[in-house]
Structures are given as structure tokens and as C-alpha cells.
Amino acid sequence: MLKDIDVGTCVHLLSRIDDEALDKFWKEISAGKSPIIDSQGNMGYSLLSDEDILFIRNDFTATNYEYFELVFGDLFLPDTVQELLLKDKVLLLMVYRKSTQDLLLSELRTDVKFMLDLPHGEYFFFVFLLDAEAESFLSSIAHAVGFPSRMHLNSPELEAFYLKHPVDIWEFVDPSPIEIQRGGPFYINMIMVNIKQIPGCSLLFSELLKGDESTPPL
């Protein structure tokens, strides 16, 4: 299932980031510093605004003439994911820009919405719930993965449907790339899925990193 929606390919792109940079990123997470890292290994940190929105500064390479749009994001955490949210878990947002193959990885918080400032283009968005107490980033266990939702997260219909038919949560998932263009701001609703509901998916994050050599570039 993960291969079919290209998340494995996106995770595979982490192999471009220097091991030392990934180790530093992981240590900053353990220290509670809300770090951000891009595909060149550049490090930054998120800021919490007065409106309690987590601003994720992006390091996507953009030319001077490119236009940017604000992108706001929120998470829907169904019961099967909420029960996993213990103190030893961490949420990571992965954003991939299709045209330039730039990658951004940032820690998220469950109690606040997030915001990015992105240049125009097509993007894939994923969220991962990992073990925060693992010795390294790639040795952590993935417990849940999030995808953009087809509908607003605060919809009573979504909550009611999930409670009655939890295995059909995929009906609300939209794996397509999202085009960020003139006319923002944009709103991305991410829905988390317990990884046990994904047939044949490995739990070890480093195995996702290997990707599929036969998978073409996004």
C-alpha cells in the first residue's frame, strides 16, 4: 500500500541527507527543540506564534522570482492512533516538492496547528508517528502514518463514520500531490492511520528508507 502512494519513495530520499545531520536532527528532537531539516542537511527550528500556530520555516530552494503561499495544516487523530500517543512518541512532517525534489522534515505537535510558507509547485505531504526513544532516527519504529484528507477534519461525518467503520478510513485519504499556486492560503488536513491497518508494511522506519529501486522518481 505504501509503495502505491509513493510514501516509500519519499522516505527513500532521506538517504541524501548526511548521517551526521540526521543524528543531530534526532538529538534535537530528544531535547524538545522542534527542529527542521532539509535535503541539504540545513537545520532550523519551528516557532510557536502568539496564535498558537507552529510556523515551520522552509529551506526549499527557490529563485528570487518565485511566489510563495501560506499553507496551514491540521491533524485528525482517530482512536487507534490516539492510544499510541504516549510520551515516548514523536510526530514528524515530511514535505516533498515534486519539481525540484527538495525535501523538508519537521517535528509537529499534537496540540497546535502548523503553517508553512511554500513556493508554488506540486507537493506530497506525509506525517509519521515514531518512537522518540530510539537510539537513532532510522532505528525508530513507525506506528502511524498520515496523509492529506479528502474532507475537513472537523466534519462530524468523518468522526461518526470512523467510529462505525474504522477499517474504511482509507476512503478519506487522498494520496495525490497537492498543487500550491496563486490564490492561497491553502489548508491541508492530515489524517493519521495506524500502520497496522496498512497490509504488508514494515514497522521499522529504516526499511521504509530503502524504498523500491524499481520505483520511478516522483
Side-chain angles (χ1 to χ4, degrees):
M1 187 66 174
L2 286 184
K3 175 185 173 184
D4 295 338
I5 51 181
D6 291 318
V7 64
T9 302
C10 285
V11 174
H12 181 62
L13 295 172
L14 289 172
S15 61
R16 300 179 181 179
I17 304 178
D18 182 77
D19 289 344
E20 291 185 5
L22 278 179
D23 287 342
K24 181 180 179 182
F25 174 78
W26 192 248
K27 289 178 181 178
E28 295 296 84
I29 287 177
S30 301
K33 295 185 178 180
S34 300
I36 310 165
I37 192 169
D38 69 3
S39 52
Q40 285 76 46
N42 298 313
M43 286 278 296
Y45 299 91
S46 300
L47 300 173
L48 189 63
S49 72
D50 294 337
E51 294 78 23
D52 284 337
I53 297 177
L54 191 68
F55 176 61
I56 301 171
R57 178 183 59 81
N58 81 80
D59 287 308
F60 287 123
T61 302
T63 58
N64 292 331
Y65 58 83
E66 284 194 284
Y67 292 97
F68 288 71
E69 303 291 341
L70 288 177
V71 179
F72 293 88
D74 200 359
L75 292 174
F76 174 64
L77 302 166
D79 292 343
T80 57
V81 175
Q82 288 193 30
E83 64 189 18
L84 299 172
L85 291 176
L86 304 176
K87 62 179 180 179
D88 59 345
K89 301 293 189 300
V90 60
L91 276 171
L92 295 183
L93 171 69
M94 179 184 290
V95 183
Y96 175 80
R97 190 183 184 192
K98 193 173 179 180
S99 61
T100 59
Q101 296 189 352
D102 287 314
L103 188 72
L104 185 72
L105 197 66
S106 174
E107 184 178 7
L108 291 182
R109 288 174 48 171
T110 59
D111 58 336
V112 297
K113 297 181 180 181
F114 60 90
M115 177 184 71
L116 301 100
D117 190 16
L118 297 179
H120 292 178
E122 283 190 312
Y123 294 86
F124 285 91
F125 295 82
F126 302 107
V127 177
F128 295 94
L129 180 66
L130 305 176
D131 272 327
E133 295 183 346
E135 291 185 4
S136 67
F137 179 30
L138 299 181
S139 66
S140 63
I141 300 296
H143 295 273
V145 60
F147 310 93
S149 173
R150 297 181 187 276
M151 62 186 302
H152 197 279
L153 297 184
N154 293 327
S155 169
E157 179 187 352
L158 175 59
E159 190 75 51
F161 182 91
Y162 179 77
L163 291 175
K164 293 181 179 179
H165 311 285
V167 297
D168 294 326
I169 200 68
W170 289 104
E171 290 189 16
F172 296 97
V173 167
D174 186 359
S176 305
I178 296 174
E179 186 173 2
I180 304 301
Q181 55 188 342
R182 187 183 298 273
F186 290 82
Y187 298 89
I188 307 298
N189 298 312
M190 305 294 294
I191 185 167
M192 299 296 296
V193 180
N194 191 317
I195 212 163
K196 292 180 180 179
Q197 296 178 252
I198 305 175
C201 179
S202 170
L203 295 180
L204 189 61
F205 197 69
S206 60
E207 293 186 12
L208 291 177
L209 176 69
K210 295 175 184 177
D212 187 335
E213 296 300 329
S214 63
T215 302
L218 293 170

